[in-house]
Amino acid sequence: GQNIDQPTEMTATEGAIVQINCTYQTSGFNGLFWYQQHAGEAPTFLSYNVLDGLEEKGRFSSFLSRSKGYSYLLLKELQMKDSASYLCVLMDSNYQLIWGAGTKLIIKP
Amino acid sequence: GAVVSQHPSRVICKSGTSVKIECRSLDFQATTMFWYRQFPKQSLMLMATSNEGSKATYEQGVEKDKFLINHASLTLSTLTVTSAHPEDSSFYICSAKGGESHYEQYFGPGTRLTVT
């Protein structure tokens, strides 16, 4: 079967850097996504990794290690608007999305 | 970029009534649409996958007679919650996928359903 683990909640300070980790187990893999979701809104796409390594996009970077079943989302220069839930999402061998429970990120001034 | 709309954004209905939620892809043809449900502080749960012109595929535990899905055109899918009960109160989100890409999925803004 498939399983996704990520911390339930994290707290960070405005202007700082935070890393949100995600570990997964799956029998088939077609990529890993990170989504951001503000309360009461639909998720918005942040990143997609299918090969090992780091993908950088502005203040956000995402890393993948397929052999370790591990990914992280790195947020730099944190802003108050970054307070949201961050969802680690696996795409399985059937191209179906398996959603993690999400990490609620709280940014403090 | 691709835009997906949902209507209504919020709806309150009485127990026992039916509610229809529309999901439209505004600037692309959606060959596949997905319906998700999200309870407070929980992740999205896929309810069903619908392909234009064919019957929806429901996830285990989702009652197809209660959650009617119609994907009549390449730009419109509807979800009807029949005989709604308070426990159906949730955030319903649709997403749409077009073309051959497997990973380009575009989300609607969601519909907040409250059943009293």
Side-chain angles (χ1 to χ4, degrees):
Chain A
Q2 295 123 339
N3 188 49
I4 299 175
D5 289 308
Q6 53 181 128
T8 304
E9 187 173 297
M10 298 182 69
T11 303
T13 305
E14 188 178 16
I17 299 174
V18 71
Q19 178 175 310
I20 303 174
N21 295 322
C22 172
T23 58
Y24 64 88
Q25 295 87 41
T26 182
S27 54
F29 180 81
N30 271 305
L32 189 140
F33 298 80
W34 283 95
Y35 280 85
Q36 180 192 60
Q37 186 178 26
H38 286 99
E41 298 180 12
T44 54
F45 171 83
L46 290 178
S47 67
Y48 172 69
N49 294 67
V50 68
L51 299 176
D52 290 349
L54 185 68
E55 296 277 344
E56 297 185 77
K57 190 184 296 184
R59 294 189 298 114
F60 294 2
S61 303
S62 57
F63 172 83
L64 175 68
S65 169
R66 288 171 296 172
S67 62
K68 295 181 179 179
Y70 169 66
S71 173
Y72 68 73
L73 179 69
L74 189 72
L75 294 79
K76 302 177 184 177
E77 301 170 16
L78 287 170
Q79 302 174 9
M80 297 303 293
K81 67 179 183 179
D82 297 330
S83 292
S85 286
Y86 291 85
L87 303 162
C88 175
V89 188
L90 186 66
M91 179 174 278
D92 69 11
S93 55
N94 295 317
Y95 299 99
Q96 299 294 319
L97 296 182
I98 313 299
W99 293 78
T103 298
K104 182 179 180 181
L105 178 63
I106 300 169
I107 310 296
K108 295 185 175 181
Chain B
V3 179
V4 175
S5 70
Q6 271 185 251
H7 177 80
S9 57
R10 291 178 180 272
V11 58
I12 301 173
C13 70
K14 293 186 177 181
S15 187
T17 61
S18 295
V19 174
K20 181 185 284 188
I21 302 170
E22 292 186 349
C23 177
R24 293 182 185 271
S25 56
L26 298 185
D27 50 4
F28 68 102
Q29 293 186 326
T31 52
T32 306
M33 285 187 170
F34 305 87
W35 286 95
Y36 293 87
R37 180 169 53 184
Q38 186 178 31
F39 292 106
K41 299 183 179 180
Q42 296 186 24
S43 190
L44 277 72
M45 296 294 295
L46 180 64
M47 299 174 67
T49 302
S50 74
N51 293 294
E52 185 265 338
S54 61
K55 290 184 178 180
T57 302
Y58 289 80
E59 296 299 302
Q60 193 172 8
V62 178
E63 300 174 56
K64 62 180 180 181
D65 294 330
K66 180 171 180 61
F67 299 98
L68 302 178
I69 292 172
N70 186 298
H71 192 165
S73 77
L74 285 171
T75 59
L76 174 64
S77 176
T78 60
L79 167 68
T80 302
V81 182
T82 62
S83 187
H85 289 101
E87 56 264 32
D88 298 325
S89 298
S90 186
F91 192 48
Y92 291 87
I93 305 171
C94 75
S95 70
K97 184 164 70 75
E100 296 302 316
S101 172
H102 289 289
Y103 62 87
E104 289 188 22
Q105 201 173 126
Y106 305 98
F107 286 86
T111 297
R112 173 74 60 190
L113 170 64
T114 303
V115 184
T116 60

